Amino acid sequence: MLDPRRHKQLEKLIAKLGIPVTDEINWSLLDLALTHPTLSQTANYQQLEFVGDSVVRLAASELLLETYPDATVGEFSAIRKVLVSDQTLAEIAQSFGFDNYLLIANSAAGDSAGKGSRLADAFEAVLGALYLSTTTMALVRPWLDPILSDLAIEIRNDPALHNYKDALQEWTQGKYKLLPEYKISEIDTGHGSEERFIAEVWLKEECLGEGKGRTKKSAEQAAAKEAFLALIA
């Protein structure tokens, strides 16, 4: 049985999500969804995260099909790729303060570089717990749809669909039949900064852009964004 204090804590998160506090919610699953593997190697969020990965992809797919029935499958895939990315899910989790509800060992909590990954994982796990509570999307889509809808509009209005690496690659291949090259280096984070890497993107011995990020991929995306936006300006 769930500790009453933990139950109250989880009720606050549910209220933030805009979900009515009902008996439909499996509170034990929700508690598990917010338990980091550093606290238990068996009773943690990993299996629920596995389910939640499919849940968020289904929610995004249904929303896109309902909202943009005339869009191509290619456009659906490009938008959904951004909607279900770790970066997007981590940002959504951060906006709801998931860090305040995640049970995690002190040693891992201090790892600022891993914060994005664990927030994304916990977010997917919570979606998995909510889905399994009713085996429907009833506890997921009512509050998640508006968030994904706003993001989808933003992505569709972006000339690169928020995937600047792919957009830059298409541009350089089309113009020069060449692929851009990325040079990555680790930087002194200092004071708990989440930006661990700096990336430069090069083409024909010219640096087109530079960017920082907490992962190599995010740093590359930041560099590609700077380069792509400068090229199409």
Side-chain angles (χ1 to χ4, degrees), residues 32-37 44-49 102 118 121-122 125:
L32 194 62
L34 290 162
T35 301
H36 193 265
N44 58 58
Y45 63 42
Q46 290 177 321
Q47 290 184 337
L48 289 171
E49 175 202 347
L102 182 62
R118 64 176 177 262
D121 292 347

Side-chain angles (χ1 to χ4, degrees), residues 158 160 162-169 221 224-225 228-229:
D158 187 326
H162 276 30
N163 192 333
Y164 294 96
K165 283 188 69 177
D166 283 358
L168 179 63
Q169 179 174 308
Q221 279 286 355
K225 179 179 181 179
F228 180 76
L229 294 180

Side-chain angles (χ1 to χ4, degrees), residues 145-158:
D145 274 11
I147 298 171
L148 296 183
S149 180
D150 287 346
L151 288 171
I153 293 171
E154 181 183 327
I155 296 164
R156 291 187 92 224
N157 290 332
D158 187 326

Side-chain angles (χ1 to χ4, degrees), residues 27-60:
W27 297 99
S28 294
L29 281 182
L30 189 61
D31 177 52
L32 194 62
L34 290 162
T35 301
H36 193 265
T38 52
L39 284 189
S40 172
Q41 299 212 349
T42 54
N44 58 58
Y45 63 42
Q46 290 177 321
Q47 290 184 337
L48 289 171
E49 175 202 347
F50 175 76
V51 175
D53 176 71
S54 296
V55 173
V56 71
R57 290 174 64 85
L58 177 59

Side-chain angles (χ1 to χ4, degrees), residues 33-109:
L34 290 162
T35 301
H36 193 265
T38 52
L39 284 189
S40 172
Q41 299 212 349
T42 54
N44 58 58
Y45 63 42
Q46 290 177 321
Q47 290 184 337
L48 289 171
E49 175 202 347
F50 175 76
V51 175
D53 176 71
S54 296
V55 173
V56 71
R57 290 174 64 85
L58 177 59
S61 299
E62 289 182 344
L63 173 71
L64 291 174
L65 183 60
E66 292 164 6
T67 309
Y68 308 108
D70 298 325
T72 66
V73 172
E75 188 175 6
F76 282 154
S77 297
I79 297 172
R80 187 182 65 180
K81 182 177 180 180
V82 180
L83 291 178
V84 304
S85 68
D86 279 358
Q87 180 177 338
T88 298
L89 300 184
E91 288 172 356
I92 297 173
Q94 182 69 43
S95 71
F96 287 108
F98 268 47
D99 255 2
N100 298 323
Y101 306 94
L102 182 62
L103 302 178
I104 183 171
N106 290 335
S107 57

